[in-house]
Amino acid sequence: MTPKQTVLEQTKKIFQNKYNKNPEVISISPGRINIIGEHVDYNLGLSMPAAIDKYLCIAISKNRTEKINGYSETLNDSFSNNYSSNNDSRNWVKYVHGSIMESLNKSKYKSGFDIVINSTIPMGKGVSSSAALEVSILLSINKIFNLKMSNNDIIKRCQSVDHNHINIKSGILDQSACLLSKKDSIFIIDFYDMNIEYIKYNLKNIKWILIDSKIRRELASSKYHERVNECKQALKLLSIQNNKINNFRDLNINTAKEISILPPKLQKRVTHVVSENDRVIKMKEAIKKESIKQMGDLLIKSHESLRDNYEVSCTEIDRMINFSKSIKGWIGGRIMGGGFGGVTINLIQLGYEDSFIDKLSIFYKNFFGLNCDAEDLSFVDGAETIYINSLN
Ligand code: GLA
């Protein structure tokens, strides 16, 4: 059995044991990485994500009560609350309840549910376990009530879960990646018009490795909002100055002088957004040409911009990336995700994975007294609804 089938089968069994019936629907969503294009989704830019073979699976069925009953095998925790209100402060409960509310929003349906959640996506490690949860629930409810939501609608409603129920004003990178990825492909998503281009990914001489710095910063979400607001403010000032500038896509790396009217901090933020969009396009060309060296250089440049212009890196990760430059087989890497700690994504020459991980781990332990975890990545299909029990 593949890791995906194993999670599916387990989830179905757990549901049967827990609720003494079959689930109506089972949905499964992978976690995601992002090769390049960071902090650009909420700035209508370009990103290059891919789904990875770690899964969150939910089994769900309507019940004939007003209650939503949830059980997380992963957390060994459960809840039972009223359909219409949630006063539970546990984050995972807020995600489940919020996803149900957002999926049924504007529809005529209302129902209680029995749900089981089972996941192999590591939580809090920047590979979007929460987006996978949202997407799985939205897909399931879409199926149960035949709501005919489009992928874009599902993605937008997942974002509303973050905004309205979790209070994180995130973009839509994570949910788009979980839902739209294709096996052995990476894709370029343009958040300006949601245009998507898939690139067949055939590079055999390299490996992608995720390194978890184990650094988690309490301030991460307030700093994230600070960046979102700084970009809004920069755009406002730019469009007052020049009414042809409506979004950051009206700028490019050759129109740098346009941004000189901004205060220095905002200039740096815009420089990141504009140059990161450019790097995504260059990465696409580099992958198509199989130019490994150029791919590595773009990752390093992205890291430098996230560190210096967007200021979302941290000392531990900067040291890691710097040290990696001295390790044979490391081609490039950068901080990934929202930042202020979390994980790095690294491009490694095939055959050097173990020695890279060993050397980096020793360095990290000596320097910061911390162990770093490594994860080898392969790219898989996005989320799907696998199973409907018509007997229910
Ligand atoms: C987090 C957010 C995404 C995106 C990234 C940064 O993962 O959830 O929407 O903004 O940070 O690229």
Side-chain angles (χ1 to χ4, degrees):
M1 256 202 268
T2 63
K4 185 175 181 176
Q5 284 162 340
T6 309
V7 183
L8 272 164
E9 282 308 314
Q10 272 178 359
T11 313
K12 187 172 152 192
K13 284 206 183 90
I14 299 165
F15 187 96
Q16 287 163 335
N17 290 336
K18 189 97 198 143
Y19 299 111
N20 259 328
K21 60 180 177 183
N22 281 325
E24 276 178 85
V25 169
I26 295 183
S27 294
I28 188 158
S29 169
R32 69 102 186 90
I33 51 98
N34 188 22
I35 288 178
I36 199 160
E38 213 68 85
H39 282 282
V40 292
D41 58 345
Y42 53 86
N43 288 314
L44 305 185
L46 299 156
S47 294
M48 190 185 275
I52 55 172
D53 71 341
K54 300 270 177 231
Y55 298 95
L56 182 142
C57 185
I58 74 148
I60 181 166
S61 193
K62 296 192 288 302
N63 63 33
R64 293 197 177 88
T65 72
E66 299 256 301
K67 290 226 175 271
I68 300 175
N69 305 311
Y71 169 70
S72 164
E73 170 77 3
T74 326
L75 300 171
N76 188 20
D77 198 4
S78 52
F79 73 88
S80 177
N81 62 19
N82 269 335
Y83 172 85
S84 44
S85 64
N86 173 45
N87 300 319
D88 202 313
S89 58
R90 282 171 292 177
N91 237 14
W92 75 275
V93 179
K94 289 200 262 178
Y95 274 109
V96 174
H97 194 262
S99 301
I100 293 174
M101 292 301 108
E102 293 300 332
S103 52
L104 290 178
N105 182 20
K106 295 190 196 124
S107 87
K108 59 179 192 273
Y109 300 104
K110 193 177 168 185
S111 171
F113 294 96
D114 299 323
I115 307 177
V116 162
I117 302 160
N118 182 29
S119 174
T120 58
I121 306 177
M123 278 186 293
K125 292 202 174 180
V127 285
S128 292
S129 57
S130 50
L133 176 57
E134 294 165 351
V135 165
S136 307
I137 294 180
L138 265 286
L139 277 181
S140 300
I141 296 201
N142 192 32
K143 195 76 162 182
I144 288 177
F145 294 107
N146 194 18
L147 298 175
K148 299 198 168 64
M149 285 188 248
S150 66
N151 282 341
N152 285 353
D153 195 8
I154 290 177
I155 290 166
K156 282 276 174 207
R157 288 178 192 230
C158 289
Q159 185 186 34
S160 304
V161 179
D162 287 350
H163 287 210
N164 303 336
H165 302 265
I166 312 293
N167 209 15
I168 294 184
K169 307 292 175 211
S170 57
I172 51 172
L173 168 70
D174 308 340
Q175 296 87 355
S176 307
C178 293
L179 188 58
L180 305 174
S181 288
K182 283 198 176 151
K183 189 173 178 339
D184 298 328
S185 294
I186 47 179
F187 67 105
I188 295 159
I189 176 161
D190 187 336
F191 295 101
Y192 179 74
D193 54 10
M194 287 305 277
N195 184 48
I196 283 171
E197 186 184 346
Y198 292 94
I199 314 177
K200 210 63 205 145
Y201 181 83
N202 255 330
L203 299 174
K204 302 255 182 288
N205 297 328
I206 52 165
K207 279 268 176 188
W208 292 97
I209 305 254
L210 223 52
I211 300 284
D212 182 6
S213 70
K214 306 268 178 76
I215 305 290
R216 308 277 180 266
R217 294 266 142 79
E218 280 302 309
L219 279 174
S221 68
S222 64
K223 288 277 174 199
Y224 184 91
H225 292 152
E226 197 177 287
R227 295 296 174 277
V228 172
N229 289 330
E230 285 164 350
C231 289
K232 271 193 196 146
Q233 201 194 340
L235 195 56
K236 200 166 158 197
L237 293 172
L238 287 168
S239 57
I240 290 171
Q241 176 78 12
N242 175 352
N243 62 12
K244 291 207 177 80
I245 302 176
N246 295 309
N247 58 66
F248 292 115
R249 302 298 283 287
D250 293 327
L251 296 168
N252 63 53
I253 46 167
N254 303 317
T255 51
K257 77 170 187 325
E258 300 273 4
I259 66 171
S260 59
I261 57 132
L262 295 173
K265 189 170 75 182
L266 296 189
Q267 282 191 35
K268 290 205 286 182
R269 305 298 187 246
V270 178
T271 302
H272 169 72
V273 173
V274 174
S275 64
E276 187 77 348
N277 285 335
D278 184 62
R279 281 185 287 274
V280 175
I281 293 164
K282 292 199 168 115
M283 182 65 89
K284 175 173 101 174
E285 288 156 10
I287 292 175
K288 281 186 174 166
K289 284 192 301 202
E290 303 198 1
S291 172
I292 310 290
K293 163 92 176 60
Q294 198 191 349
M295 288 168 67
D297 290 346
L298 287 164
L299 292 172
I300 296 169
K301 286 257 157 21
S302 172
H303 181 77
E304 288 167 356
S305 180
L306 288 159
R307 181 191 66 199
D308 302 336
N309 294 324
Y310 221 64
E311 298 179 282
V312 290
S313 189
C314 62
T315 315
E316 294 85 347
I317 286 190
D318 291 340
R319 290 277 169 83
M320 241 190 206
I321 295 285
N322 256 344
F323 180 75
S324 299
K325 290 179 183 160
S326 67
I327 305 179
K328 198 166 180 291
W330 186 83
I331 307 163
R334 63 176 195 84
I335 188 167
M336 194 187 87
F340 308 102
V343 290
T344 63
I345 182 160
N346 300 272
L347 186 59
I348 311 289
Q349 211 173 316
L350 190 68
Y352 288 91
E353 307 90 281
D354 291 345
S355 60
F356 164 70
I357 293 167
D358 288 350
K359 286 185 178 129
L360 187 64
S361 301
I362 294 168
F363 164 80
Y364 201 58
K365 182 89 189 164
N366 284 344
F367 226 92
F368 295 108
L370 288 169
N371 294 313
C372 59
D373 278 353
E375 193 86 59
D376 190 351
L377 304 173
S378 57
F379 301 150
V380 301
D381 281 324
E384 54 185 319
T385 300
I386 299 284
Y387 171 78
I388 296 186
N389 181 7
S390 52
L391 301 174
N392 243 2

